[in-house]
Amino acid sequence: MNTPTVRSWEVYFADTSDDALVTMKQQQPVFNEVFNAEDVMSFTNLDNTDFDSSKPIQSVANGAIYMIIPLLSEQKLTGVSVSYESWVSFLKANKMHESTSDSGLGTSLYFFASIKDEGICHVRMFCDEHNMPREDAATGSAAGALLAYLLKHAEADNLRLIINQGNAVERPSELCIDGTYNGQKFDLKVGGRVTYVAKGKWG
């Protein structure tokens, strides 16, 4: 599995108010293995009819590594559960666990529901953290990987969406993703509203 070299990311401030929109420009993604629905079914409660078969299940790396999993509806997304033991066994068998991968990085799960006309994409992210399963409330790196995935597989040259995440853990969040793809290079930006709390300087 290939992973991109981690570089510093460019950060943009749209304004300096207490509700500022901060956007991070992400690095070029690497598209890795494509999986089938049966692979995901082996460690979740999903069945074959729950997946959006018009899009692939694929591993995408952009510093972190995510298995991007398209589902047909928000209802299917809400009902997803993951068997931790089965998931870890799958990762280890496929050299995708931090203990078996060539990069030393583990692969997290990023489920998303088919996008409707309102421009909102509902997602859930599961990771293996300190040998325990955890669902994240907002995952900027995964949102960037999804943006690249959608641009590539939708054959679109530009895309802008709102990512809705965290409802399942009662910590709802919204991220803004905005990107372009010219067939060779991606321009990927992920951002969100922040509140000014402190300032500092790295030496």
Side-chain angles (χ1 to χ4, degrees), residues 3-18:
T3 55
T5 301
V6 177
R7 300 180 177 87
S8 59
W9 292 359
E10 300 173 34
V11 179
Y12 303 88
F13 291 83
D15 56 63
T16 56
S17 68
D18 285 341

Side-chain angles (χ1 to χ4, degrees), residues 89-198:
S89 295
F90 173 84
L91 292 178
K92 289 182 176 178
N94 289 275
K95 295 185 177 181
M96 299 165 63
H97 191 266
E98 61 183 9
S99 66
T100 59
S101 69
D102 294 335
S103 66
L105 298 174
T107 298
S108 299
L109 306 175
Y110 200 62
F111 298 88
F112 76 97
S114 293
I115 301 163
K116 307 303 181 184
D117 294 336
E118 64 267 22
I120 298 174
C121 182
H122 297 272
V123 306
R124 295 178 69 184
M125 195 285 277
F126 296 85
C127 62
D128 180 9
E129 186 173 273
H130 306 302
N131 297 315
M132 294 181 63
R134 185 173 75 87
E135 181 170 355
D136 197 15
T139 318
S141 56
L146 176 64
L147 176 57
Y149 166 100
L150 292 172
L151 285 166
K152 180 178 176 67
H153 294 300
E155 298 181 354
D157 56 7
N158 65 85
L159 185 64
R160 179 178 293 178
L161 291 170
I162 297 295
I163 298 294
N164 185 295
Q165 185 179 347
N167 292 318
V169 291
E170 299 183 347
R171 295 171 57 202
S173 68
E174 284 190 352
L175 294 174
C176 309
I177 59 174
D178 187 359
T180 61
Y181 180 49
N182 63 11
Q184 294 183 322
K185 186 176 181 180
F186 293 87
D187 182 46
L188 308 171
K189 294 176 182 174
V190 177
R193 295 287 173 182
V194 300
T195 300
Y196 180 88
V197 293

Side-chain angles (χ1 to χ4, degrees), residues 9-73:
W9 292 359
E10 300 173 34
V11 179
Y12 303 88
F13 291 83
D15 56 63
T16 56
S17 68
D18 285 341
D19 190 29
L21 175 63
V22 178
T23 302
M24 180 178 290
K25 183 174 182 179
Q26 298 200 354
Q27 60 190 324
Q28 297 300 297
V30 175
F31 292 85
N32 290 307
E33 294 92 340
V34 173
F35 302 90
N36 57 48
E38 287 73 20
D39 291 325
V40 180
M41 289 162 56
S42 71
F43 55 80
T44 68
N45 63 336
L46 296 169
D47 63 45
N48 202 50
T49 62
D50 295 332
F51 299 88
D52 181 353
S53 60
S54 69
K55 300 180 182 66
I57 300 168
Q58 186 169 22
S59 171
V60 182
N62 63 345
I65 308 171
Y66 299 96
M67 181 189 287
I68 308 292
I69 305 169
L71 301 180
L72 280 175
S73 68

